[in-house]
Amino acid sequence: MPTAPAGTLYRGREGMWSWVAHRITGALTFFFLFAHVLDTALVRVSPEAYDAVIATYKNPVVNLLEVGLVGAVLFHALNGLRVIAVDFWSKGPKYHQAMLWSIVTVWMLLMVPGTYFMLQHTISAIFGSA
Amino acid sequence: MSQTEATEIGAPRSPRTFGSSGRSNFELYSWLFMRVSGLVLVFLVLGHLFIMNILDGGVQRINFAFVAGRWSSPFWQVWDLVMLWLAQLHGGNGLRVIINDYAERDTTRLWLKAALYASMVLILVTGTLVIFTFDPNIG
Ligand code: HEM
């Protein structure tokens, strides 16, 4: 077995970094799904057990992590659509960079109001309801 | 080379057949599955995140009664069941590829994949049971 790869296929720039981000966000989401199916399974134990675990999701720090998770999944979804377009659309490879900057723009346009709505309660809890 | 042994040339782009060499088209179908399941997951997962985290007060309004209300409808039961299976198979297959990429020793790959497949079975069985056996009057 070779101990060091002979040469490299990593080419840098948008193509490589979007792939790195796609891989990290995909793996992260998969690990979260493991925890999330198990915490939801507490509905089979008792309403109290379920409400107790859901209370951790309402904690301000965890609430912030949820924004990160939604951002990660949203990137993975949009970039996944871009990968599909590159693979199946005849002009996809030509426009792969333009498509990346388009999905980054869509990501930001959705995340700004999304973050506001996700943190609304946490912000008013910390700074007092105006 | 005699005439009877002439190589057979299949129609263009027909799946390769490897005969007794023990190889298959598994990776082709897995590549295709990632794309088809990804398309469906865009609607199921982004819809789920929007409903649960953003709409109508987001996560702050979720509790046992909220879940009981949703799962009284077959529509949300089917939504959640399809999302569970597709996300688990899509994410699990993705992790299989990642393990193949980075774990170079045969035994490391074997054990990582054994752990991965065990976790997938655990989550698929638990999640499916929870959706099918949910009891709003428990406790
Ligand atoms: C929301 C819609 C989604 C879309 C459109 C999507 C799309 C894709 C596509 C097209 C690939 C293949 C990339 C390639 O072959 O280069 C992929 C890989 C992957 N996806 Fe998704 N996906 C989605 C949701 C998810 C979810 C919910 C999870 C986790 C449970 C997930 C985890 C992964 C993982 C771990 C990989 C492997 C990454 C790699 O090999 O580098 N994806 N996704």
Side-chain angles (χ1 to χ4, degrees):
Chain A
M1 173 168 313
T3 48
T8 176
L9 284 168
Y10 296 108
R11 286 158 176 265
R13 298 185 58 106
E14 291 91 335
M16 183 183 97
W17 293 110
S18 61
W19 169 79
V20 169
H22 195 79
R23 179 159 276 195
I24 292 173
T25 52
L28 182 90
T29 310
F30 184 72
F31 292 138
F32 169 74
L33 185 58
F34 180 87
H36 182 46
V37 170
L38 295 183
D39 70 55
T40 304
L42 290 179
V43 294
R44 292 296 294 123
V45 176
S46 71
E48 293 73 29
Y50 181 73
D51 289 350
V53 76
I54 284 300
T56 59
Y57 281 94
K58 303 178 187 180
N59 170 289
V61 178
V62 181
N63 196 206
L64 208 60
L65 295 175
E66 284 151 26
V67 176
L69 179 75
V70 169
V73 175
L74 183 60
F75 173 82
H76 188 95
L78 294 171
N79 190 58
L81 291 174
R82 187 189 67 96
V83 169
I84 293 170
V86 169
D87 287 345
F88 289 102
W89 179 37
S90 58
K91 297 210 175 77
K94 185 176 164 196
Y95 293 117
H96 79 98
Q97 285 185 349
M99 286 195 289
L100 180 65
W101 296 118
S102 309
I103 67 137
V104 168
T105 308
V106 171
W107 185 89
M108 287 197 288
L109 290 177
L110 293 175
M111 281 310 282
V112 171
T115 304
Y116 171 75
F117 285 113
M118 281 184 273
L119 294 180
Q120 212 172 21
H121 178 88
T122 290
I123 292 168
S124 61
I126 293 175
F127 299 104
S129 45
Chain B
M1 205 196 249
S2 77
Q3 288 247 262
T4 50
E5 281 174 24
T7 309
E8 197 189 315
I9 298 172
R13 301 201 169 209
S14 55
R16 285 186 291 172
T17 45
F18 297 99
S20 57
S21 68
R23 292 164 66 196
S24 72
N25 289 306
F26 177 78
E27 293 297 345
L28 168 66
Y29 296 120
S30 124
W31 177 90
L32 194 61
F33 172 76
M34 291 309 271
R35 279 137 188 87
V36 175
S37 59
L39 278 179
V40 181
L41 284 168
V42 170
F43 296 98
L44 296 180
V45 172
L46 295 187
H48 180 79
L49 291 177
F50 180 72
I51 293 166
M52 296 301 180
N53 297 70
I54 293 178
L55 203 68
D56 203 15
V59 76
Q60 304 297 333
R61 77 195 193 297
I62 298 178
N63 57 23
F64 183 86
F66 178 85
V67 177
R70 273 170 51 87
W71 279 350
S72 64
S73 149
F75 178 83
W76 295 115
Q77 287 182 313
V78 171
W79 179 303
D80 287 354
L81 192 70
V82 175
M83 182 169 67
L84 168 73
W85 278 80
L86 286 184
Q88 197 56 214
L89 293 176
H90 175 108
N93 189 234
L95 240 78
R96 181 187 65 84
V97 172
I98 295 177
I99 292 171
N100 280 340
D101 275 357
Y102 299 122
E104 293 192 8
R105 290 179 55 220
D106 286 351
T107 46
T108 314
R109 268 202 314 281
L110 179 82
W111 285 108
L112 285 176
K113 283 189 203 171
L116 171 67
Y117 299 148
S119 87
M120 288 171 68
V121 171
L122 172 75
I123 293 304
L124 285 173
V125 170
T126 312
T128 304
L129 272 177
V130 166
I131 294 174
F132 277 113
T133 69
F134 178 72
D135 173 10
N137 300 313
I138 194 176

